[in-house]
Amino acid sequence: MDVIKAVLFDLLHFAFAGLLNRNVTPAPVAKPLALPLQASHLSLLAPAHVPTKSVPKKHVAVEPTQPTQLFSVREFVSVDEAKMYIHPTVTFDGLVAILNYGTAVTVLHHEGRWTSITTESLSGWVLKDSLTSDYPSLVPLFSFGACYPSDAPETKKLRLFIKDEFGAGKLSLPLMSPEYVTYRLALKNIRFAWNNVRPRVAGEWQRLLKGTPGIHSGILPKTGSVMEYLTEMGGQLAYVEAVFPDETIRVSLIREDDESRYIEQVYTKEEWKELGPVFIEVA
């Protein structure tokens, strides 16, 4: 009996040892399923330097957004004087400049009742109500043969443009020829450098401006020059609108001796020479 137990013990020991010493084969790894690849998968597998085909997107119309600010809008001063400040408020020593009636400015944007603007040399803020985009409403429009007393709207507009330089508005005088030609020159940014001698009445301009640097007086007309001559009633100033090849000239003027009437006149060379005029211009 003891012999049988010993034999069984040896058999069990041998079997157990064999299990410990033999090579174990790992379980086989399951192969991945062969699934069809989609285009989106290809872009993930492709190298970075290989371009992939993109699917065109459907174009969708998008409504443009409305700007909240105005940029580079041309406007004009519509009041006698527009005060420009460094900030959109009135502060101590914040005044940058005073802009005259009719001055052109570039509007950048609005902020409440203020407007940010620039001129040729300055930037700042003015009240929005002091500007307009309707330039024709600011400019005096003269009608041939019409008279222009002190209270005429066109007379008032002209005097705003020249800041009532001659004081005629305060005296309630009808429109004068020196005012008219000064206005026409101002439209071209031309101002004569006057001395302190007064009054600057028609018939005295050539004498008062004689020797002034930059001012030339001569007997030949040029477009944009001031024509001065004497009539039986006194001096007269006119603005030379055009000079033609045959030296015929076209002028515009205010006739002070005829109720401040606006006239446009064409003179042949012989006709204007008979008047003995002097033509004054900036050299």
Side-chain angles (χ1 to χ4, degrees):
M1 189 66 179
D2 293 333
V3 175
I4 295 173
K5 290 181 179 180
V7 173
L8 292 174
F9 178 81
D10 290 339
L11 291 173
L12 291 172
H13 177 75
F14 177 80
F16 184 74
L19 291 173
L20 293 176
N21 294 329
R22 69 177 182 171
N23 294 327
V24 180
T25 302
V29 179
K31 294 183 179 180
L33 296 175
L35 297 177
L37 293 175
Q38 303 296 325
S40 59
H41 300 156
L42 292 175
S43 63
L44 297 176
L45 296 175
H49 65 278
V50 179
T52 59
K53 183 178 180 181
S54 60
V55 179
K57 297 180 180 179
K58 184 179 180 181
H59 292 285
V60 180
V62 179
E63 291 294 331
T65 57
Q66 295 297 324
T68 56
Q69 297 177 335
L70 298 176
F71 294 93
S72 299
V73 177
R74 200 71 163 167
E75 294 196 5
F76 305 87
V77 175
S78 59
V79 295
D80 186 9
E81 293 181 342
K83 295 182 177 180
M84 179 193 290
Y85 293 92
I86 190 66
H87 300 297
T89 185
V90 179
T91 59
F92 172 75
D93 198 29
L95 183 65
V96 176
I98 297 178
L99 305 180
N100 295 329
Y101 178 87
T103 300
V105 301
T106 299
V107 173
L108 301 180
H109 63 274
H110 301 299
E111 185 174 310
R113 65 194 188 105
W114 293 90
T115 297
S116 175
I117 65 168
T118 63
T119 66
E120 293 182 355
S121 58
L122 298 172
S123 297
W125 296 80
V126 298
L127 289 173
K128 186 190 303 183
D129 293 342
S130 64
L131 302 176
T132 182
S133 58
D134 185 12
Y135 184 72
S137 68
L138 304 179
V139 181
L141 299 177
F142 298 97
S143 299
F144 181 84
C147 297
Y148 292 92
S150 178
D151 59 351
E154 310 309 309
T155 302
K156 293 179 179 179
K157 290 179 182 179
L158 184 147
R159 286 173 176 165
L160 283 172
F161 257 103
I162 66 172
K163 297 182 67 62
D164 196 18
E165 183 176 341
F166 298 87
K170 295 180 177 63
L171 297 173
S172 299
L173 297 176
L175 189 60
M176 314 285 281
S177 65
E179 295 180 291
Y180 175 74
V181 296
T182 297
Y183 161 70
R184 294 303 306 272
L185 294 173
L187 290 181
K188 299 173 62 177
N189 293 321
I190 297 174
R191 291 188 179 277
F192 290 159
W194 293 97
N195 56 33
N196 294 327
V197 180
R198 297 293 187 273
R200 295 168 290 177
V201 295
E204 294 290 325
W205 276 38
Q206 191 271 337
R207 182 181 67 83
L208 294 176
L209 290 169
K210 186 176 182 180
T212 302
I215 304 298
H216 173 74
S217 297
I219 60 173
L220 295 178
K222 290 186 179 180
T223 300
S225 62
V226 176
M227 177 181 176
E228 184 176 45
Y229 57 98
L230 297 176
T231 68
E232 295 179 355
M233 303 296 294
Q236 179 65 58
L237 293 170
Y239 182 79
V240 180
E241 301 283 355
V243 178
F244 300 100
D246 62 353
E247 296 188 83
T248 295
I249 65 173
R250 179 166 59 86
V251 302
S252 61
L253 64 149
I254 293 293
R255 290 284 302 271
E256 297 176 22
D257 59 353
D258 187 16
E259 300 180 341
S260 294
R261 193 178 306 277
Y262 175 75
I263 300 294
E264 294 178 358
Q265 183 75 45
V266 175
Y267 292 107
T268 65
K269 181 179 180 180
E270 292 73 20
E271 289 172 337
W272 62 257
K273 275 195 169 185
E274 188 175 344
L275 296 173
V278 173
F279 297 94
I280 308 168
E281 62 174 330
V282 175

